[in-house]
């Protein structure tokens, strides 16, 4: 990849890294604090979701370094660069956590799709492919979460 494309993709990927890591931590927050009649099922689901996000976080960070960048992946770095709102701290009911995560997964999915378009436009098929796979995983997990809110 040309240097200017790599530079643009490093910025794009670090933005995605921040949001993905932030979402992963918010899902763990829900996992630790969920209460209510569906506690056990949601506790397990949230842990599975966080695990998939952890794998994506690693893949995104490795792509940054593979194209010559520096992965900005600490908790503090993610906090500074994430586009996601913070999960509310005044909830603990399962449905409230599910709704909060649906909102954040929706934002993250939209951002991933914008990243796919930007990577395609820049001519970086590999980054576009990575973000496409991430988008598929996020969209599927969003579907799992949304199903809990349907009657």
């Amino acid at each position: 990849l040309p240097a200017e494309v790599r530079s643009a993709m490093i910025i794009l990927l670090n933005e995605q890294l921040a949001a993905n890591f932030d979402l992963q931590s918010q899902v763990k927050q829900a996992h630790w604090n969920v209460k209510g009649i569906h506690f056990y099922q949601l506790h397990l689901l949230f842990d599975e979701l966080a695990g998939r996000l952890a794998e994506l976080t690693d893949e995104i960070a490795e792509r940054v370094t593979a194209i010559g960048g520096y992965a900005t992946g600490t908790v503090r770095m993610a906090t500074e660069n994430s586009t996601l709102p913070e999960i509310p701290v005044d909830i603990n009911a399962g449905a409230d956590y599910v709704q909060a995560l649906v909102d954040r997964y929706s934002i993250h999915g939209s951002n991933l799709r914008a990243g796919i378009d930007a990577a395609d436009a820049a001519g970086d098929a590999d980054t576009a492919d990575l973000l496409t796979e991430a988008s598929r995983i996020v969209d599927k997990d969003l579907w799992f979460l949304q199903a809990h809110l349907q009657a």
Side-chain angles (χ1 to χ4, degrees), residues 9 63 115-120 124-133:
M9 293 301 98
R63 177 67 182 157
I116 295 164
D117 293 342
D120 277 337
D124 184 353
D126 292 334
T127 294
D129 183 60
L130 172 62
L131 297 179
T132 298
E133 179 61 23

Side-chain angles (χ1 to χ4, degrees), residues 23 32 54 84:
L23 183 57
W32 296 322
L84 301 177

Side-chain angles (χ1 to χ4, degrees), residues 28-61:
K28 285 303 281 191
Q29 183 73 12
H31 164 79
W32 296 322
N33 290 291
V34 67
K35 306 281 188 281
I37 187 88
H38 301 291
F39 161 77
Y40 187 70
Q41 295 84 353
L42 291 175
H43 182 76
L44 293 178
L45 174 63
F46 294 162
D47 204 35
E48 289 176 23
L49 297 177
R52 281 192 286 279
L53 289 167
E55 290 176 18
L56 289 176
T57 297
D58 193 52
E59 292 291 325
I60 295 167

